[in-house]
Amino acid sequence: MKLEETRARVVLRLRKDGALRQDAALAKRSESLLGDYLLKLYPGSEDAPPLAAGGTISRVVDQQGMEAVFGSLEQITGDIREVTRSLRGVLGGEQGPGALKLIVDNLVRLSASLDQVLRRSAERLEVILGHVQGASSNVKAITDEQREPIREVVASVEAIARDVRELLASARSLVGGGDGGQPLEASAATQLSALGKLDRGLDNIEGVTEGLKAGQGVAGTLLRDGPASQRLNEAIEEVSVFASRLSQLRMEVGVHSEYLATQGQAKSFLQLRMFPRPDTFYLLEVVDDPRGTVETATVRASPASAGDPALKVQRFTRQGLKVSAQLARRYSFATLRLGIIESSGGVGADLHLFEDALSLRLDAFDSSSDALRCPRVRAALRLQARHHLFATVGVDDLATASRRDAAGRFLLGQDFSLGGGVFFADEDLQAPLTVSPLRPCSRESVSMSLLVVGSIAYDSVETPFGSREEVLGGSATFFSASASFFTSVRAVAVVGEDFDDKHFEFLRARGVDLSGVSRVKGRTFRWKGRYSFQLNEAQTLNTQLNVFQSFSPTLPEAYRDSEYVFLGNIHPELQAQVVEQVRSPKLIAMDTMNFWIQGSLPALKKTLSRVDLLFVNDGEARQLAGEHNIVQAAKAILAMGPRRLVIKRGEYGALLFDQEHVFWCPAYPLAELFDPTGAGDSFAGGFMGSVALHRSLSHDALRRAMVTGSVMGSFAVERFSLDRFREIGVSDIRQRYKDFQRLTEFAELPA
């Protein structure tokens, strides 16, 4: 590496098995807020010509970091120093009193400009102080020694602020000196003193800046020492990951009661279920059981009655609350449980039938009781009535005959129960939020009412920042993964014999019902595309429809009652077939593309007349309406039948139209963007998932859905395929939604 004028030339020596292409790119990006930089080399696309030895990589992306901030600070310091020296030379010379009269005239014209400069400088200093404060809070986890440099910076900035205020006051005094204020010479002396203080303050901040750049002190060491800053970044990341996992814990609280027929009393349960994953939960339960705990005691009679033994064995019932604590894991239609059941060790299993509408619960516990010759076995049926209500019927202690004491009180044995209860999930327990990006804790919680019909595919993608071969893709896949953060999803699609089951496991873990996905003989749908640096449009390199070519969506009977339906980008006639199969949906939304607009326009318009909402991008909207102006195009499309229209505009956000309203949502400003494939379907998944969760089609609910869709679309493009959806959690979605609120918040114009 060597310096040539103001640029650095980096000479790379590559191994023989490494190859660079003529479209190779080099990115310089900040690795952390502490000034660490990373050069990242992208070798280029495989079909580009190779880069010859001695060639030049001309595509360079430079992202500025903390060093640019310090450089700007030094430049500002130098400029202010030059101004102060010039003023000192003018005011301190022999002709100073004469020159002051000319300066007064100039100050009158420049006072307004000087005041604006000072205000802008104060804002910059506040930003710098914010960065310094953030850095100090992060470094504090490692050492407290760094406080001194930060305090020096803060003290220096405060001193500069005081000196600047004195300078401004002196300048204003000079301007107003003829109105009974200080004499002109005294004002000049005051200003010279203020300029001297300002100069010394600049010396202090320049010294601190140079010390930090030279690596002095703990803060300077962290700025210059790569390994130290890396360890700090790793520590911060680990804390962030732990906090994110903790915030993703989903909870469900329930209470129910059962009437015990043999005992003639009620048994009550208070239950808490915590879900770290959709298929795993921890169960904590407090039980008020009138049966109590049967205990055995040996009693010595003194004196013993005639004919009675001196030692007697007696059984008695001890009343008190019982506790259950179990770990449960769901496998397809069965859930297995292990732990403590009613204050004794035990195991259990739940069999889920009819889309979880009916569950059979089996428990075996209390095997150590002296009063029982075998473990206590209990069976119960649970019927999910409506969203939060359920009913139960069961039999307890199947293998033991009923026993009573001498007074006729029930001790143990078989008993029948009938009862019901209610439960609440996270979104029911939390205070109302602008958006609640929590999907149901379990598939028992909410009816799976969001249906998607589309493609599941293998994608091969090339971008300037890398490439991936044969990764999971397809409209139904991106939509389902995105919507699954808000509600349960039903998917209808087709795959070939070569489709890897591990992808199904990922979708099932997200709560996606794949009963409508069929596997047929042949190869899975494949698409290959390339993006340029603009990343706004893909160049299709290869499309293999394979089994998708003969796809004819047939909904399972359980899917036909879906309340919310999304028709992915398939032939309009197939979309119409799906519309005919659903019974009474509350909202049907569809997506389309220029291929169908150009080649199947009559069928597309016929389907449009039967749906409620259309998703298109701006180019497709212009093509469909025959109008260049987006607003006029929206009016023309709404006249074709759909009541609402969403026009996606990529990095320029998205627009929502209906007959009365227009709403615009910006795109999220991303520092890194890798792969825009699936961004539109992820947007639609977030939009429809929000609508299904809040069960409202009001304009306010749809505006909230627009922002939620933009949030999910922004996550999708940060990684290839669905990799980003494997990383994020509830806290990430909430935070980005709040970022959107801050992005669009502004004050009213003053009166």
Side-chain angles (χ1 to χ4, degrees):
M1 179 184 297
K2 60 181 179 179
L3 187 65
E4 293 183 1
E5 296 180 352
T6 60
R7 297 189 299 175
R9 175 180 291 273
V10 181
V11 180
L12 303 177
R13 186 183 302 275
L14 302 180
R15 299 183 315 189
K16 292 183 178 180
D17 57 344
L20 294 181
R21 304 291 178 174
Q22 291 185 5
D23 61 349
L26 186 69
K28 174 189 174 186
R29 67 177 179 85
S30 176
E31 193 176 21
S32 70
L33 294 176
L34 299 177
D36 199 16
Y37 281 85
L38 176 69
L39 293 179
K40 200 167 186 178
L41 178 63
Y42 302 98
S45 55
E46 295 179 358
D47 55 348
L51 185 64
T56 300
I57 300 175
S58 58
R59 304 169 76 176
V60 178
V61 180
D62 187 4
Q63 300 177 357
Q64 297 187 2
M66 289 296 296
E67 289 186 359
V69 176
F70 284 114
S72 300
L73 183 60
E74 288 181 350
Q75 183 178 359
I76 295 172
T77 301
D79 293 341
I80 297 177
R81 182 184 295 278
E82 290 298 326
V83 173
T84 58
R85 288 176 179 171
S86 299
L87 288 174
R88 182 184 298 165
V90 173
L91 295 175
E94 296 179 356
Q95 299 179 352
L100 283 175
K101 295 180 180 180
L102 296 176
I103 294 175
V104 168
D105 295 335
N106 292 333
L107 287 175
V108 171
R109 293 192 300 269
L110 296 177
S111 61
S113 299
L114 178 61
D115 184 65
Q116 295 178 1
V117 171
L118 292 175
R119 291 178 183 274
R120 289 197 298 270
S121 298
E123 294 175 356
R124 293 174 182 173
L125 290 175
E126 289 177 359
V127 173
I128 294 173
L129 284 174
H131 292 324
V132 173
Q133 184 177 2
S136 66
S137 62
N138 290 335
V139 177
K140 184 178 180 181
I142 297 179
T143 178
D144 291 333
E145 296 180 5
Q146 87 290 359
R147 294 179 179 173
E148 294 303 320
I150 302 301
R151 288 175 178 173
E152 292 180 10
V153 172
V154 174
S156 299
V157 171
E158 291 177 348
I160 291 174
R162 289 194 300 269
D163 294 340
V164 169
R165 285 195 293 269
E166 292 179 10
L167 175 60
L168 181 59
S170 299
R172 288 175 176 169
S173 297
L174 283 174
V175 175
D179 297 329
Q182 290 182 329
L184 210 53
E185 293 80 359
S187 297
T190 302
Q191 189 166 358
L192 283 173
S193 175
L195 290 173
K197 294 180 180 179
L198 178 61
D199 196 31
R200 290 190 297 273
L202 293 174
D203 286 337
N204 292 336
I205 194 171
E206 184 178 24
V208 173
T209 302
E210 291 178 352
L212 291 175
K213 292 185 65 177
Q216 298 176 2
V218 175
T221 301
L222 288 172
L223 287 173
R224 304 292 295 182
D225 187 354
S229 62
Q230 179 65 26
R231 289 192 296 271
L232 176 61
N233 288 336
E234 292 175 354
I236 295 173
E237 181 66 21
E238 290 177 359
V239 173
S240 176
V241 170
F242 175 77
S244 177
R245 290 177 178 174
L246 187 62
S247 65
Q248 294 175 34
L249 192 66
R250 305 180 181 105
M251 291 187 294
E252 182 182 285
V253 177
V255 58
H256 71 279
S257 184
E258 299 175 350
Y259 176 75
L260 305 176
T262 304
Q263 300 179 61
Q265 300 185 64
K267 182 177 181 179
S268 301
F269 303 80
L270 176 62
Q271 186 181 86
L272 171 65
R273 297 203 295 178
M274 298 177 289
F275 291 79
R277 294 175 48 186
D279 60 348
T280 304
F281 65 88
Y282 305 104
L283 172 64
L284 300 178
E285 195 174 52
V286 178
V287 184
D288 181 14
D289 187 0
R291 175 185 297 203
T293 303
V294 178
E295 297 183 358
T296 302
T298 302
V299 180
R300 178 184 296 274
S302 179
S305 302
D308 292 337
L311 297 179
K312 293 182 179 180
V313 177
Q314 294 183 349
R315 292 187 176 92
F316 60 93
T317 302
R318 183 184 298 277
Q319 299 296 328
L321 295 177
K322 299 179 181 179
V323 177
S324 299
Q326 302 174 59
L327 171 63
R329 180 76 179 270
R330 177 159 180 166
Y331 301 91
S332 185
F333 62 90
T335 297
L336 303 181
R337 294 176 282 106
L338 175 67
I340 300 174
I341 301 179
E342 296 190 11
S343 300
S344 67
V347 296
D350 302 322
L351 301 180
H352 308 283
L353 309 171
F354 306 109
E355 300 290 342
D356 293 350
L358 184 67
S359 299
L360 173 62
R361 182 185 183 97
L362 299 172
D363 294 310
F365 59 101
D366 203 10
S367 59
S368 61
S369 174
D370 296 335
L372 298 175
R373 288 178 293 181
C374 61
R376 181 175 166 187
V377 179
R378 178 173 58 197
L381 283 174
R382 168 171 165 158
L383 176 64
Q384 192 70 40
R386 289 187 60 82
H387 297 306
H388 300 291
L389 301 176
F390 61 91
T392 62
V393 58
V395 57
D396 192 3
D397 211 350
L398 289 167
T400 305
S402 298
R403 299 182 191 176
R404 298 179 180 272
D405 60 14
R409 292 174 299 189
F410 182 86
L411 289 176
L412 52 85
Q414 194 175 92
D415 201 351
F416 296 91
S417 64
L418 178 66
V422 62
F423 65 88
F424 301 98
D426 267 331
E427 57 268 25
D428 306 306
L429 300 173
Q430 293 172 344
L433 297 174
T434 307
V435 65
S436 176
L438 292 173
R439 71 185 190 86
C441 296
S442 71
R443 281 174 282 184
E444 299 174 4
S445 301
V446 172
S447 171
M448 292 182 288
S449 57
L450 178 56
L451 168 66
V452 56
V453 180
S455 62
I456 296 178
Y458 281 130
D459 290 345
S460 297
V461 183
E462 298 178 11
T463 76
F465 311 108
S467 62
R468 294 291 186 275
E469 294 289 335
E470 300 276 313
V471 295
L472 183 60
S475 60
T477 310
F478 279 100
F479 180 94
S480 299
S482 175
S484 66
F485 285 91
F486 309 92
T487 188
S488 295
V489 183
R490 299 163 164 171
V492 175
V494 62
V495 298
E497 298 171 309
D498 58 340
F499 192 76
D500 195 334
D501 286 340
K502 69 179 182 181
H503 300 312
F504 283 149
E505 292 305 319
F506 163 70
L507 294 174
R508 288 193 182 100
R510 293 257 14 113
V512 180
D513 183 355
L514 301 175
S515 303
V517 178
S518 57
R519 186 191 293 269
V520 300
K521 186 177 181 180
R523 284 167 54 83
T524 303
F525 175 33
R526 281 166 168 78
W527 176 84
K528 183 174 184 179
R530 177 189 299 151
Y531 293 89
S532 64
F533 262 96
Q534 283 72 30
L535 295 174
N536 55 0
E537 187 174 351
Q539 175 189 358
T540 298
L541 303 178
N542 186 20
T543 300
Q544 301 176 23
L545 293 176
N546 298 328
V547 298
F548 194 65
Q549 186 170 5
S550 57
F551 175 52
S552 180
T554 301
L555 304 187
E557 183 62 30
Y559 285 16
R560 297 174 186 259
D561 62 349
S562 298
E563 296 178 317
Y564 303 95
V565 180
F566 176 73
L567 307 174
N569 183 13
I570 57 178
H571 195 286
E573 293 181 355
L574 297 180
Q575 293 174 324
Q577 292 180 18
V578 177
V579 174
E580 294 173 356
Q581 296 180 59
V582 290
R583 295 191 179 96
S584 54
K586 294 182 177 179
L587 176 69
I588 300 180
M590 64 174 286
D591 190 10
T592 192
M593 63 181 299
N594 52 4
F595 181 81
W596 307 122
I597 297 173
Q598 183 176 355
S600 304
L601 185 58
L604 176 60
K605 287 187 175 180
K606 184 177 180 180
T607 304
L608 275 176
S609 65
R610 306 179 63 182
V611 302
D612 306 296
L613 172 65
L614 172 66
F615 290 93
V616 287
N617 62 35
D618 49 358
E620 294 161 350
R622 293 186 175 99
Q623 182 183 6
L624 177 60
E627 294 278 357
H628 179 74
N629 181 274
I630 286 295
V631 177
Q632 295 300 327
K635 292 181 179 179
I637 294 173
L638 291 174
M640 298 178 187
R643 290 182 291 175
R644 301 172 183 89
L645 170 68
V646 173
I647 299 180
K648 300 168 289 185
R649 308 194 67 194
E651 61 181 320
Y652 304 110
L655 288 160
L656 170 65
F657 293 91
D658 61 23
Q659 297 293 349
E660 300 178 357
H661 306 93
V662 178
F663 174 69
W664 173 75
C665 178
Y668 188 76
L670 293 170
E672 289 186 332
L673 190 154
F674 281 90
D675 178 15
T677 308
D681 294 309
S682 300
F683 176 96
F687 183 101
M688 295 293 290
S690 175
V691 171
L693 173 64
H694 297 285
R695 308 179 67 82
S696 173
L697 294 177
S698 68
H699 187 66
D700 288 340
L702 295 180
R703 290 163 69 103
R704 177 174 53 207
M706 286 284 289
V707 178
T708 307
S710 294
V711 167
M712 303 310 294
S714 69
F715 281 124
V717 303
E718 289 184 317
R719 297 288 187 274
F720 286 95
S721 184
L722 287 86
D723 290 350
R724 192 67 174 110
F725 289 140
R726 304 175 194 268
E727 302 171 352
I728 64 172
V730 171
S731 61
D732 302 297
I733 298 174
R734 289 187 187 278
Q735 183 58 50
R736 188 155 294 186
Y737 191 96
K738 292 178 181 178
D739 292 342
F740 266 95
Q741 290 179 309
R742 287 191 288 266
L743 279 172
T744 56
E745 182 180 5
F746 51 89
E748 295 182 358
L749 285 174

